[in-house]
Amino acid sequence: MNPLYELHDRPGLVEPPLLLVLDGWIDAGGAAAGALATVLNGLDTRSIATFDTDALLDYRARRPTLELVEGVAHDLSWQRLELRHGLDLDGRDFLLLVGAEPDHAWKAFCDQMTDLALDLDTRMVLGLGAYPAPAPHTRPVGLSCTASTPGLVGAYHFLRYTVDVPGGAQAAVERACADAGIPSCGLWAQVPHYVAGMPYPAASLELIDAVQAVAGLHLPKGDLAQQSTEARERIDGLVSGNPQHEAMVRALEQQAEQAAAEGSDGTPLNPSGGLPSGDELAAEFERFLREQGDS
């Protein structure tokens, strides 16, 4: 098998957890991307392995960026896929797989990524993502889990579902690593579907807290708390005064309170009880935002 990566350095690592944050995977509200940016801005990390993007990416779907300065072509920036090493705020090793989600050769990529994880003595794999959910912005962000074993799921108070969903390269890496004996888990923030197209820093903050709970990593949070407060105030302002949207949020709040009272694992994937669908809510809210901009 042709190698898909080049290992530039093999630092002496002490059982690092591996975090997966790939562009192109499901990331409502930019939650995983926001968490990654906060970590990279707050810590020094360095690339220790790079993957062959010529073999893994479709450049027609992920075109390089051409930098033009007054008509002169200065640089061409290509998509990257790399493994980075860093130390958390307490000096513990961790790894980050970041960059573009592969378009091709997923099985070979997963096999070689698993071999690399084993070679680097990885103790756990955590994938980060976020999806639109029928949840109100006025309640704490819910977190669901996809784990390699029932014990790993049961150890934490995350939401749990039984459902068939499309898988991404992160899920494939998690599964391959689990088959090789490395505990693996996907951490998924629930972003209110009516704001899934805008940054939602509260979900980024929740993902960082979840990584600390599961992997014991002490990661920087930057100003995510302040950003979350400001985002909440903006959304409150957009909803306030519009009877339809106020009613929508109240219905979602009642649904969340009912689920909590019943001891449910969380809100259902599809809202019921007379609520409009997620697509309908998102379309209506986007129309409302456009109207606000026009005024």
Side-chain angles (χ1 to χ4, degrees), residues 96-146:
L96 278 168
L97 181 65
V98 297
E101 181 186 43
D103 297 303
H104 309 295
W106 277 21
K107 291 182 179 180
F109 170 70
C110 289
D111 288 343
Q112 294 191 32
M113 187 62 233
T114 300
D115 290 343
L116 185 54
L118 289 169
D119 185 50
L120 296 173
D121 201 24
T122 300
R123 65 177 172 87
M124 175 180 287
V125 175
L126 296 176
L128 305 187
Y131 61 91
H137 74 280
T138 54
R139 296 293 184 268
V141 175
L143 202 77
S144 63
C145 174
T146 58

Side-chain angles (χ1 to χ4, degrees), residues 214-231:
V214 176
L217 287 178
H218 185 191
L219 300 176
K221 301 177 184 179
D223 61 352
L224 285 176
Q226 178 181 344
Q227 291 182 38
S228 300
T229 299
E230 294 172 352

Side-chain angles (χ1 to χ4, degrees), residues 11-280:
L13 306 179
V14 180
E15 297 185 333
L18 167 60
L19 308 183
L20 312 176
V21 190
L22 298 179
D23 299 336
W25 186 215
I26 302 171
D27 190 22
L36 174 63
T38 301
V39 171
L40 292 178
N41 287 336
L43 297 173
D44 290 329
T45 66
R46 60 193 179 94
S47 178
I48 62 172
T50 53
F51 286 81
D52 183 0
T53 52
D54 273 354
L56 293 171
L57 300 187
D58 178 359
Y59 289 131
R60 290 173 298 178
R62 303 171 182 272
R63 297 182 185 276
T65 300
L66 177 62
E67 179 188 4
L68 292 173
V69 179
E70 296 184 355
V72 178
H74 275 242
D75 194 16
L76 195 62
S77 299
W78 298 86
Q79 293 273 4
R80 291 176 60 85
L81 177 58
E82 61 183 351
L83 186 68
R84 303 187 68 86
H85 165 250
L87 299 175
D88 76 353
L89 295 173
D90 295 328
R92 288 186 288 253
D93 291 307
F94 70 97
L95 297 169
L96 278 168
L97 181 65
V98 297
E101 181 186 43
D103 297 303
H104 309 295
W106 277 21
K107 291 182 179 180
F109 170 70
C110 289
D111 288 343
Q112 294 191 32
M113 187 62 233
T114 300
D115 290 343
L116 185 54
L118 289 169
D119 185 50
L120 296 173
D121 201 24
T122 300
R123 65 177 172 87
M124 175 180 287
V125 175
L126 296 176
L128 305 187
Y131 61 91
H137 74 280
T138 54
R139 296 293 184 268
V141 175
L143 202 77
S144 63
C145 174
T146 58
S148 58
T149 64
L152 189 56
V153 175
Y156 306 97
H157 295 291
F158 299 144
L159 307 176
R160 301 185 292 274
Y161 297 109
T162 299
V163 64
D164 293 331
V165 295
Q170 287 190 186
V173 171
E174 292 166 25
R175 184 68 261 169
C177 287
D179 290 342
I182 304 174
S184 301
C185 180
L187 300 175
W188 290 91
Q190 292 187 327
V191 174
H193 40 36
Y194 52 91
V195 293
M198 63 177 65
Y200 200 67
S204 299
L205 185 59
E206 185 67 23
L207 286 174
I208 291 178
D209 285 340
V211 169
Q212 180 165 349
V214 176
L217 287 178
H218 185 191
L219 300 176
K221 301 177 184 179
D223 61 352
L224 285 176
Q226 178 181 344
Q227 291 182 38
S228 300
T229 299
E230 294 172 352
R232 165 68 187 270
E233 292 172 351
R234 287 196 300 271
I235 298 169
D236 283 344
L238 291 170
V239 171
S240 178
N242 185 300
Q244 183 176 0
H245 293 103
E246 289 177 341
M248 173 193 71
V249 173
R250 283 197 301 271
L252 292 172
E253 288 174 338
Q254 291 170 1
Q255 181 176 270
E257 290 164 2
Q258 181 180 354
E262 295 174 351
S264 167
D265 281 337
T267 56
L269 289 179
N270 294 306
S272 59
L275 287 174
S277 71
D279 287 343
E280 291 169 340

